[in-house]
Amino acid sequence: MSFREFREDVKRSVELAIREAGLPLIDFEPSEPPRPEFGELSVNVAFTIANKLGLNPLEVAKAIGNELKVPKGSLISSFEVCRPGYINFKVRYPDLNYRSLSESILKEDYGSLNIGRGKRVCVEHTSVNPNKALHVGHIRNVILGDSIHRILKFTEHDVQVLNYIDDSGLQIADIVVGFKYVGFPLEPPKGEKFDHYCGDEVYVKMNELYKIQPELIMKQKEVLKEIDEGRLDIAKFAQEITRKVVREQLETCWRVGAYYDCLNFESHIIETGLWEKLFNQMRDKGMIQLETEGKLVRCWVIKMEGEEDEKVIKRSDGTLTYIAKDIPYAAWKTGLVEDPFQYNVFVKQPNGSELWSTVSGKGRDLHPDFGNADLAITVIDVRQSRLQKIISYILSLLKGEKIEKKYVHLGYEVVSLSRRTADELGIMIEEKDFIHMSGRKGIYINADDVLDALHKKAYEETKKRNPKESEDWLHNTAEKVAVSALRFDLIKQDLDKIIVFDLRESLNLEGETGPYIQYAHARASSIIRKADIEPEITADNASTLDHPTELNLVKLISKFDLYVEEATKNLSPKTLARYAYSLATSFNAFYEKNPVLQEKDEKKRMARITLVQAFKNVVRITFDLLGMETPERI
RNA sequence: GGGCCCGUGGCCUAGCAUGGAUCAGGGCGUCAGCCUGCGGAGCUGAAGAUCAUGGGUUCAAGUCCCAUCGGGCCCGCCA
């Protein structure tokens, strides 16, 4: 928080000086200068003012500088008017050291903000069709959604995490046909997870079979209709299968540290009459029409303003399309309709929390409130952008006002496989550097397999460094390292960049990676363990921190809440991932140059110990916000 | 055909919503170094960039606007 105070000190005193100098007050933000000699903050408002008045920027900066007074008790140590027209400020380090370290040294909630107080948010993520296992691409979705939920919670939003389970689509019919009519055994081969088996074996093979035996497509349609209508036998069987797959998928999600509050089964949207209600509303408002001629005859369609084609929401055979069911769901999320669902606990999660789900028939009387959020965030890849826009458009029509601020599509680019990894998996790929994943075509790498490979590598590395530790401890630690490697790898870059996943490259645990940061944390932990003393920062010993690497680390720590704010406002976990990395780099630079335990000067030693402790605490909190762990030793 | 996104050293990437300071940050890879001090998953250094191209706006453009080229995606009675 202390760097924020410094920034406010700078801003306020400059504003005052501008007024004193009789210049027009223009809104500005102090920013960080490119070089350390220029201080810690810089103001370029002189350029804007000069431009407006047709004056020389340097003259304007000087005029402001002449009126500038450093307020007593502020964190400003000095300022200087520089060449083309900047006003540069230096921070009073001894004070920043003291304030920053005493705030950050132990507090669990250091850096938390209350910007979300009273705001109810639901985050929908994962939402993988329950006919297959999660591949790495899905993990990008899971960790994005999970990290955002953690960050929003940290900033005091009232967050609920939803996972939408499409248990009534064609892809479910595919595996049901496989089990019921093609004769795939219900039991997976020994040692294979059921979700892997359904996806890798049944689903992929069914899609090949349709080409050879077109009569199966008739079966597929039949089954779909039965599932939709909820007719006893097949529908019940489909339910059993999808729930079984969901349980297995959740294992993978939990493995990477993602937890949920509620599963929304698509079938319940029909069952509760929620779809019917929305359908009637849309029809009465004239938003949808029944086509009476043309190729879409007997379909109910919606036409978007400025769009050529209409979108089918109810097929001529009476079944519903995917988007149809998303409309009531979105309406429920944003509180446009009363909650029609019944709930029960689906499973107790490894973190101790209860995961609820919508249920058929009667659920529990007492349950948490779901839906009805001030802000609904849907995490889904960019290929869904158009559809999400349509949904948002429909919601706006239903509500009678713009809803863009309430219904947010958080889109991200897909994860593809590198040519090398595709080759190694035996996937044919021609002329391209990468290949997009496809569940149906069997082009993907399962998340569990990636995690297993990472685990194996991390295990070897950890064992080298901790040869005497138990197998249990080693595997436990290796898993934490593996998860941070994968999560960090998938969260560190911008959402609009395609990630070309290369298994061999991902196994490199050096450089800009999660394990690099965990390693720095483990080094810090080792120092604290050996110091075996209660860290204590005082105004006196804080002033002994004066090496550039010490000050740099203090400065970064003092800016934590500014990064939290940015990450929250932009829904951008990447910001915090980069922050964590810069903390670690900065710590390693400090570590290289400054002995802690060997330091002779007692005050200095204590100050450094508190710096190490503060670093440790802030990395831990940051990693926590990104769903990664920081073991004491790795 | 209509729409969206990307294009920064051999490869990957930050910076772009709020345009500013004659080193455009990192990482991987390559090469050369660093431990009788707290963990070498580390640190230091070197080589390597017409910020895709061409215009425009501006005192100032990697950042804003337009066009072009290259790559990806979306536009289904699939989800």
Side-chain angles (χ1 to χ4, degrees):
Chain A
M1 298 302 271
S2 29
F3 200 86
R4 181 187 293 268
E5 288 163 26
F6 173 53
R7 204 179 62 171
E8 278 160 14
D9 288 341
V10 167
K11 188 160 184 186
R12 228 173 299 127
S13 46
V14 171
E15 280 171 352
L16 214 68
I18 291 174
R19 212 166 294 145
E20 289 293 314
L23 293 163
L25 190 55
I26 290 173
D27 195 42
F28 66 95
E29 283 302 324
S31 62
E32 284 203 62
R35 293 155 73 163
E37 310 90 89
F38 297 151
E40 284 68 42
L41 277 179
S42 170
V43 169
N44 66 359
V45 71
F47 288 94
T48 350
I49 295 178
N51 190 25
K52 200 171 174 182
L53 303 181
L55 299 170
N56 180 331
L58 190 58
E59 295 305 319
V60 173
K62 279 180 180 164
I64 297 171
N66 284 338
E67 297 301 330
L68 231 167
K69 288 168 198 73
V70 174
K72 277 218 170 62
S74 81
L75 280 163
I76 300 169
S77 91
S78 66
F79 68 88
E80 194 183 358
V81 173
C82 286
R83 247 183 312 123
Y86 296 94
I87 309 169
N88 295 331
F89 292 82
K90 291 209 157 88
V91 72
R92 191 181 290 282
Y93 262 115
D95 291 341
L96 187 73
N97 294 347
Y98 177 61
R99 290 201 215 173
S100 167
L101 294 186
S102 47
E103 278 171 4
S104 61
I105 181 167
L106 289 171
K107 267 170 63 183
E108 291 291 318
D109 61 346
Y110 174 66
S112 69
L113 301 167
N114 62 14
I115 49 185
R117 195 170 284 171
K119 194 163 181 189
R120 203 172 144 81
V121 184
C122 69
V123 181
E124 181 211 325
H125 66 82
T126 308
S127 307
V128 178
N129 286 336
N131 67 331
K132 56 170 173 269
L134 274 67
H135 62 233
V136 261
H138 296 128
I139 299 297
R140 188 176 192 181
N141 182 305
V142 172
I143 60 162
L144 216 204
D146 180 62
S147 302
I148 278 169
H149 140 251
R150 288 164 184 265
I151 293 164
L152 291 179
K153 217 164 156 189
F154 193 62
T155 48
E156 297 196 16
H157 293 79
D158 173 15
V159 200
Q160 42 179 311
V161 182
L162 309 175
N163 184 355
Y164 183 69
I165 312 294
D166 181 357
D167 58 348
S168 57
L170 262 187
Q171 76 298 137
I172 306 305
D174 290 340
I175 57 170
V176 169
V177 171
F179 286 126
K180 282 284 180 195
Y181 300 101
V182 179
F184 282 98
L186 257 177
E187 282 299 311
K190 257 208 189 91
E192 190 171 4
K193 277 181 79 192
F194 187 67
D195 55 344
H196 289 205
Y197 170 63
C198 284
D200 303 352
E201 279 291 307
V202 187
Y203 186 50
V204 170
K205 293 223 171 105
M206 281 309 298
N207 276 290
E208 286 163 8
L209 279 177
Y210 287 139
K211 288 176 209 152
I212 318 165
Q213 302 178 44
E215 68 275 15
L216 283 174
I217 295 176
M218 298 300 291
K219 283 283 176 220
Q220 181 203 37
K221 296 263 180 280
E222 244 172 60
V223 166
L224 178 66
K225 194 135 200 219
E226 286 184 64
I227 293 174
D228 253 15
E229 288 169 6
R231 222 178 271 165
L232 278 179
D233 267 0
I234 289 288
K236 212 175 153 200
F237 178 73
Q239 276 208 8
E240 278 168 29
I241 299 286
T242 54
R243 270 133 191 94
K244 203 167 159 186
V245 172
V246 167
R247 277 171 208 279
E248 301 269 348
Q249 288 180 344
L250 284 170
E251 293 283 339
T252 307
C253 300
W254 295 334
R255 191 173 174 190
V256 296
Y259 302 92
Y260 306 82
D261 295 309
C262 187
L263 304 178
N264 292 102
F265 285 97
E266 184 178 278
S267 53
H268 300 146
I269 290 175
I270 316 296
E271 221 176 280
T272 54
L274 182 59
W275 156 250
E276 183 120 30
K277 195 168 170 182
L278 264 295
F279 178 78
N280 291 338
Q281 273 189 35
M282 291 191 287
R283 192 192 49 204
D284 295 348
K285 291 196 178 185
M287 293 164 56
I288 53 173
Q289 298 122 41
L290 180 63
E291 294 285 298
T292 52
E293 56 186 352
K295 61 177 183 175
L296 298 181
V297 64
R298 286 188 301 144
C299 292
W300 281 91
V301 301
I302 184 155
K303 196 162 162 56
M304 239 180 114
E305 220 174 307
E307 290 269 342
E308 280 285 306
D309 301 318
E310 42 280 284
K311 197 93 199 138
V312 174
I313 61 172
K314 193 172 189 178
R315 302 185 188 104
S316 52
D317 67 359
T319 56
L320 303 177
T321 60
Y322 162 74
I323 186 169
K325 293 172 254 193
D326 246 13
I327 296 164
Y329 185 43
W332 168 81
K333 281 179 181 174
T334 49
L336 283 178
V337 288
E338 257 176 66
D339 186 2
F341 296 115
Q342 296 286 323
Y343 302 92
N344 211 330
V345 173
F346 185 80
V347 68
K348 184 146 183 178
Q349 306 181 96
N351 70 344
S353 73
E354 284 174 335
L355 170 57
W356 291 74
S357 82
T358 55
V359 293
S360 282
K362 181 91 180 80
R364 288 208 200 160
D365 291 331
L366 282 177
H367 60 80
D369 279 333
F370 297 111
N372 192 21
D374 302 311
L375 171 66
I377 298 169
T378 305
V379 182
I380 192 157
D381 75 58
V382 286
R383 290 172 302 184
Q384 303 274 358
S385 298
R386 199 179 126 78
L387 256 51
Q388 285 294 317
K389 231 169 113 187
I390 295 172
I391 290 167
S392 178
Y393 170 77
I394 293 171
L395 288 188
S396 297
L397 286 185
L398 279 170
K399 183 128 198 268
E401 62 181 82
K402 290 273 179 199
I403 201 157
E404 281 112 39
K405 290 260 151 52
K406 271 192 90 162
Y407 189 82
V408 173
H409 169 213
L410 192 68
Y412 59 92
E413 266 294 353
V414 294
V415 181
S416 309
L417 290 179
S418 72
R419 168 192 273 278
R420 179 167 67 181
T421 295
D423 279 348
E424 285 166 0
L425 292 169
I427 295 162
M428 289 300 288
I429 156 173
E430 62 325 282
E431 300 299 321
K432 296 199 170 182
D433 296 333
F434 61 87
I435 182 168
H436 286 302
M437 290 195 266
S438 156
R440 208 180 323 183
K441 294 183 195 153
I443 302 170
Y444 54 79
I445 180 164
N446 280 327
D448 286 315
D449 296 338
V450 172
L451 284 164
D452 289 346
L454 283 167
H455 181 109
K456 187 163 169 276
K457 177 77 192 290
Y459 173 88
E460 287 161 8
E461 296 293 323
T462 310
K463 188 162 187 168
K464 263 190 236 162
R465 294 164 178 80
N466 305 276
K468 289 182 189 155
E469 289 293 343
S470 71
E471 285 297 300
D472 253 20
W473 185 90
L474 287 169
H475 281 297
N476 208 297
T477 306
E479 183 72 4
K480 290 174 183 167
V481 173
V483 168
S484 94
L486 183 61
R487 285 191 72 131
F488 194 86
D489 206 31
L490 296 179
I491 204 78
K492 72 179 175 190
Q493 60 279 73
D494 210 79
L495 300 186
D496 54 24
K497 289 262 176 14
I498 293 177
I499 294 178
V500 178
F501 184 81
D502 184 87
L503 185 58
R504 264 200 264 169
E505 231 169 73
S506 79
L507 289 176
N508 183 2
L509 274 23
E510 288 163 14
E512 203 173 66
T513 67
Y516 169 93
I517 300 163
Q518 286 180 321
Y519 180 74
H521 176 270
R523 274 177 149 180
S525 302
S526 172
I527 292 174
I528 295 299
R529 242 187 343 265
K530 288 181 177 150
D532 193 29
I533 190 170
E534 195 67 29
E536 194 189 358
I537 191 78
T538 62
D540 192 25
N541 70 17
S543 64
T544 65
L545 297 173
D546 53 7
H547 191 271
T549 58
E550 292 175 316
L551 302 180
N552 198 33
L553 188 52
V554 167
K555 186 174 78 174
L556 257 184
I557 289 171
S558 74
K559 284 163 65 180
F560 180 44
D561 65 304
L562 296 172
Y563 287 96
V564 171
E565 185 177 357
E566 192 185 330
T568 307
K569 289 192 168 156
N570 300 340
L571 299 177
S572 166
K574 172 194 75 171
T575 303
L576 290 176
R578 301 216 157 265
Y579 174 71
Y581 178 68
S582 62
L583 269 180
T585 306
S586 182
F587 172 78
N588 279 331
F590 155 79
Y591 180 91
E592 207 65 26
K593 299 275 182 200
N594 307 278
V596 178
L597 301 175
Q598 310 300 324
E599 172 56 44
K600 299 282 188 298
D601 182 309
E602 210 171 302
K603 271 196 268 178
K604 201 166 220 177
R605 185 169 67 240
M606 183 54 108
R608 285 187 180 154
I609 291 171
T610 57
L611 179 55
V612 172
Q613 175 63 44
F615 159 75
K616 191 164 131 62
N617 195 36
V618 179
V619 194
R620 203 203 69 237
I621 297 170
T622 311
F623 252 42
D624 207 43
L625 293 176
L626 299 172
M628 299 183 281
E629 295 195 53
T630 43
E632 292 288 306
R633 288 177 292 129
I634 66 171

